[in-house]
Amino acid sequence: FNMTTALYCFQLCSLCYLLLLNRQTFVSPLSPSSLGSKKIRALSLDVTGTLLATREPVIKSYHDAAHWSQLSNPPSQSELKRGFKIAFRKRCIESPCFGGVEGISGRDWWRTTVAQVLYHANPDVSHGDEEFDRYFRRVYQHFGSPAGYMVLEDARNLLSSLQVESSSSSSSSSSEKLLLGITSNTPTRHMESVLPMLDNLHDHFSWFACSQDVKHEKPAVEIFDAAYRQAKFWLPDLEKDEVLHVGDSYACDYCGARRYGFRALLLDRSDNPAVTAYQDWLEGPEYEGKSLEDVKGNTITSLEDVASLLL
């Protein structure tokens, strides 16, 4: 352990800190050369925070559900915020991938999690089974309905641009068209219900690798490997460095994808009040060429920048 190593560690720690507080500092103009000379044949996208966001703050939805269900001694929004932060992190660590590792359903995972949210919001208040079931069902219904999520504007614009480009080149072979897929730390319900109910958003994508199914979450190699295998079904000769992954998490999306061998862009959502960073305790793995300049040169603020790079 020498001064060079210490300086490198300090730089990486500073990077993570600044990315969380003011990632706009790292945004720089990109050009097609930023991604290298090799053609991008597949685009992998994260879901929450990249394509979608909740229509309102999660805590407000939990609070409104408490009043709708006439929960006795309902916690305040500040109490729920504290309870959610504690409970969500605890559950993600003890039962990763929304129950996928444990082998329970996503609904059961969320039922236990919501119960812990209430407990950590106000440990002195308890609720009977019938009362809690009424509250939980309201919360779970909300996030399984169109009222729960919205497609972010730049995501909609990107997908529209890619669809127009695909239609204009309809005479091209399928191997020449850009393949789109999902690689996300989300419950299976996002793949099977949330995306389809938002204007059939799922129709844009050919593969769906989600952590609950794979039983591994980004930045783990296994979930990127699942995405790559699914993509190769459509493009059997696809190489890893022909896949571009884009997401809003430095650790999960950018470092995870780069370590696996995909090319990657970090989507800076720090100025978007609709986007909340989850799983911010995860650490970004090492990859070849990891540096401040590397991240700075591959950070964007809008998914529309992806279209300008690829089209």
Side-chain angles (χ1 to χ4, degrees), residues 16 25 36 48 53 82 122 142 161 164 178 216 220 250 265 272 276-277 283 287 294 299 304 306:
C16 294
T25 304
T48 306
R82 180 184 67 243
N122 193 342
H142 174 77
S161 297
V164 169
L178 183 69
H216 292 277
Y250 166 72
L265 293 174
N272 191 325
T276 300
E283 297 183 1
Y287 62 85
D294 174 69
T299 298
E304 293 176 18
V306 178

Short mmCIF file of all heavy atoms in Angstrom, two decimals, residues 16 25 36 48 53 82 122 142 161 164 178 216 220 250 265 272 276-277 283 287 294 299 304 306:
data_model
loop_
_atom_site.label_atom_id
_atom_site.label_comp_id
_atom_site.label_asym_id
_atom_site.label_seq_id
_atom_site.Cartn_x
_atom_site.Cartn_y
_atom_site.Cartn_z
N CYS A 16 -17.41 8.79 -6.21
CA CYS A 16 -18.71 8.29 -5.73
C CYS A 16 -19.46 9.37 -5.00
O CYS A 16 -20.67 9.54 -5.17
CB CYS A 16 -18.49 7.07 -4.82
SG CYS A 16 -17.80 5.66 -5.68
N THR A 25 -21.38 17.71 -12.46
CA THR A 25 -19.99 18.11 -12.59
C THR A 25 -19.26 17.26 -13.60
O THR A 25 -18.33 17.70 -14.26
CB THR A 25 -19.29 17.99 -11.21
OG1 THR A 25 -20.01 18.75 -10.25
CG2 THR A 25 -17.86 18.48 -11.29
N GLY A 36 -16.19 4.38 -29.03
CA GLY A 36 -15.27 3.56 -29.81
C GLY A 36 -15.75 3.41 -31.24
O GLY A 36 -16.82 3.88 -31.63
N THR A 48 -36.09 1.44 -13.55
CA THR A 48 -36.44 2.48 -12.59
C THR A 48 -35.36 3.56 -12.53
O THR A 48 -34.20 3.27 -12.27
CB THR A 48 -36.65 1.87 -11.19
OG1 THR A 48 -37.61 0.82 -11.27
CG2 THR A 48 -37.16 2.93 -10.23
N ALA A 53 -40.26 6.39 -13.69
CA ALA A 53 -40.20 6.93 -12.34
C ALA A 53 -41.59 6.82 -11.74
O ALA A 53 -42.59 6.68 -12.47
CB ALA A 53 -39.74 8.39 -12.35
N ARG A 82 -38.43 7.74 7.04
CA ARG A 82 -37.42 7.07 7.85
C ARG A 82 -37.64 5.55 7.84
O ARG A 82 -36.69 4.77 7.67
CB ARG A 82 -37.47 7.59 9.28
CG ARG A 82 -36.43 6.94 10.21
CD ARG A 82 -36.57 7.42 11.64
NE ARG A 82 -37.82 6.98 12.25
CZ ARG A 82 -38.77 7.79 12.67
NH1 ARG A 82 -38.64 9.10 12.52
NH2 ARG A 82 -39.88 7.32 13.22
N ASN A 122 -42.91 3.80 13.24
CA ASN A 122 -43.39 4.03 14.61
C ASN A 122 -43.42 2.70 15.36
O ASN A 122 -44.43 2.00 15.34
CB ASN A 122 -44.78 4.66 14.59
CG ASN A 122 -45.18 5.20 15.96
OD1 ASN A 122 -44.59 4.82 16.98
ND2 ASN A 122 -46.17 6.07 15.99
N HIS A 142 -51.61 0.09 -5.85
CA HIS A 142 -51.19 1.37 -6.43
C HIS A 142 -49.99 1.19 -7.34
O HIS A 142 -49.97 1.69 -8.47
CB HIS A 142 -50.85 2.36 -5.31
CG HIS A 142 -50.26 3.65 -5.82
ND1 HIS A 142 -51.03 4.63 -6.39
CD2 HIS A 142 -48.97 4.09 -5.86
CE1 HIS A 142 -50.25 5.64 -6.77
NE2 HIS A 142 -48.99 5.34 -6.46
N SER A 161 -37.63 7.69 -31.34
CA SER A 161 -36.61 7.92 -32.36
C SER A 161 -36.08 6.60 -32.91
O SER A 161 -35.89 6.44 -34.12
CB SER A 161 -35.45 8.73 -31.77
OG SER A 161 -35.87 10.02 -31.37
N VAL A 164 -38.73 4.99 -35.17
CA VAL A 164 -38.78 5.64 -36.48
C VAL A 164 -37.60 5.18 -37.34
O VAL A 164 -37.76 4.87 -38.52
CB VAL A 164 -38.76 7.17 -36.32
CG1 VAL A 164 -38.53 7.85 -37.67
CG2 VAL A 164 -40.05 7.66 -35.70
N LEU A 178 -30.92 -2.27 -34.56
CA LEU A 178 -30.53 -2.18 -33.17
C LEU A 178 -31.48 -2.99 -32.31
O LEU A 178 -32.70 -2.81 -32.36
CB LEU A 178 -30.53 -0.71 -32.73
CG LEU A 178 -30.06 -0.45 -31.31
CD1 LEU A 178 -28.56 -0.73 -31.18
CD2 LEU A 178 -30.35 1.01 -30.91
N HIS A 216 -29.75 -12.70 -9.11
CA HIS A 216 -28.54 -11.88 -8.93
C HIS A 216 -28.90 -10.48 -9.38
O HIS A 216 -29.70 -10.30 -10.30
CB HIS A 216 -27.37 -12.40 -9.76
CG HIS A 216 -26.84 -13.72 -9.31
ND1 HIS A 216 -25.93 -13.87 -8.28
CD2 HIS A 216 -27.12 -14.98 -9.75
CE1 HIS A 216 -25.65 -15.14 -8.11
NE2 HIS A 216 -26.36 -15.85 -8.99
N ALA A 220 -23.64 -7.43 -10.27
CA ALA A 220 -23.12 -8.79 -10.40
C ALA A 220 -22.98 -9.20 -11.87
O ALA A 220 -23.80 -8.83 -12.72
CB ALA A 220 -24.03 -9.78 -9.68
N TYR A 250 -24.26 4.60 -10.82
CA TYR A 250 -22.82 4.50 -11.06
C TYR A 250 -22.32 3.09 -10.74
O TYR A 250 -21.62 2.46 -11.54
CB TYR A 250 -22.07 5.53 -10.21
CG TYR A 250 -20.59 5.29 -10.12
CD1 TYR A 250 -19.76 5.51 -11.21
CD2 TYR A 250 -20.01 4.86 -8.92
CE1 TYR A 250 -18.39 5.28 -11.13
CE2 TYR A 250 -18.64 4.63 -8.84
CZ TYR A 250 -17.83 4.85 -9.93
OH TYR A 250 -16.49 4.62 -9.85
N LEU A 265 -22.92 3.86 -20.59
CA LEU A 265 -23.08 5.29 -20.33
C LEU A 265 -23.79 5.44 -18.99
O LEU A 265 -24.73 4.70 -18.69
CB LEU A 265 -23.90 5.96 -21.43
CG LEU A 265 -23.27 6.04 -22.82
CD1 LEU A 265 -24.27 6.61 -23.82
CD2 LEU A 265 -22.00 6.88 -22.81
N ASN A 272 -33.32 15.61 -11.75
CA ASN A 272 -34.72 15.23 -11.99
C ASN A 272 -35.39 14.89 -10.66
O ASN A 272 -35.10 13.86 -10.06
CB ASN A 272 -34.78 14.02 -12.93
CG ASN A 272 -36.19 13.75 -13.44
OD1 ASN A 272 -37.16 13.95 -12.72
ND2 ASN A 272 -36.30 13.28 -14.67
N THR A 276 -35.57 8.93 -7.73
CA THR A 276 -34.93 8.68 -6.45
C THR A 276 -33.90 7.58 -6.62
O THR A 276 -34.16 6.58 -7.27
CB THR A 276 -35.97 8.25 -5.39
OG1 THR A 276 -36.94 9.29 -5.24
CG2 THR A 276 -35.30 7.98 -4.05
N ALA A 277 -32.73 7.76 -6.03
CA ALA A 277 -31.69 6.74 -6.10
C ALA A 277 -31.96 5.66 -5.05
O ALA A 277 -32.08 5.97 -3.86
CB ALA A 277 -30.32 7.37 -5.88
N GLU A 283 -21.51 -0.89 -3.92
CA GLU A 283 -20.23 -0.36 -4.38
C GLU A 283 -19.95 -0.80 -5.81
O GLU A 283 -20.23 -1.93 -6.19
CB GLU A 283 -19.10 -0.81 -3.45
CG GLU A 283 -19.24 -0.29 -2.02
CD GLU A 283 -18.06 -0.70 -1.16
OE1 GLU A 283 -17.15 -1.36 -1.68
OE2 GLU A 283 -18.06 -0.33 0.03
N TYR A 287 -12.99 -2.21 -12.90
CA TYR A 287 -12.94 -2.62 -14.31
C TYR A 287 -11.72 -1.97 -14.93
O TYR A 287 -11.17 -0.98 -14.41
CB TYR A 287 -14.22 -2.21 -15.05
CG TYR A 287 -14.48 -0.72 -15.10
CD1 TYR A 287 -13.90 0.09 -16.08
CD2 TYR A 287 -15.30 -0.12 -14.15
CE1 TYR A 287 -14.13 1.45 -16.12
CE2 TYR A 287 -15.52 1.25 -14.18
CZ TYR A 287 -14.94 2.02 -15.16
OH TYR A 287 -15.16 3.37 -15.20
N ASP A 294 -12.64 8.58 -17.17
CA ASP A 294 -13.46 7.60 -17.88
C ASP A 294 -14.94 7.85 -17.61
O ASP A 294 -15.76 7.87 -18.54
CB ASP A 294 -13.08 6.18 -17.45
CG ASP A 294 -14.00 5.14 -18.06
OD1 ASP A 294 -13.94 4.94 -19.28
OD2 ASP A 294 -14.82 4.57 -17.31
N THR A 299 -20.68 10.16 -19.25
CA THR A 299 -21.85 10.56 -18.48
C THR A 299 -22.75 11.44 -19.35
O THR A 299 -22.27 12.36 -20.01
CB THR A 299 -21.45 11.32 -17.21
OG1 THR A 299 -20.68 10.46 -16.36
CG2 THR A 299 -22.69 11.77 -16.43
N GLU A 304 -31.95 11.18 -24.68
CA GLU A 304 -31.91 11.69 -26.05
C GLU A 304 -30.47 11.77 -26.58
O GLU A 304 -30.25 11.72 -27.78
CB GLU A 304 -32.61 13.03 -26.13
CG GLU A 304 -34.12 12.93 -25.87
CD GLU A 304 -34.81 14.27 -25.85
OE1 GLU A 304 -34.22 15.24 -26.37
OE2 GLU A 304 -35.93 14.36 -25.33
N VAL A 306 -28.39 9.44 -26.20
CA VAL A 306 -28.12 8.11 -26.72
C VAL A 306 -28.53 8.04 -28.19
O VAL A 306 -27.80 7.49 -29.03
CB VAL A 306 -28.86 7.02 -25.91
CG1 VAL A 306 -28.61 5.64 -26.50
CG2 VAL A 306 -28.42 7.07 -24.44
#
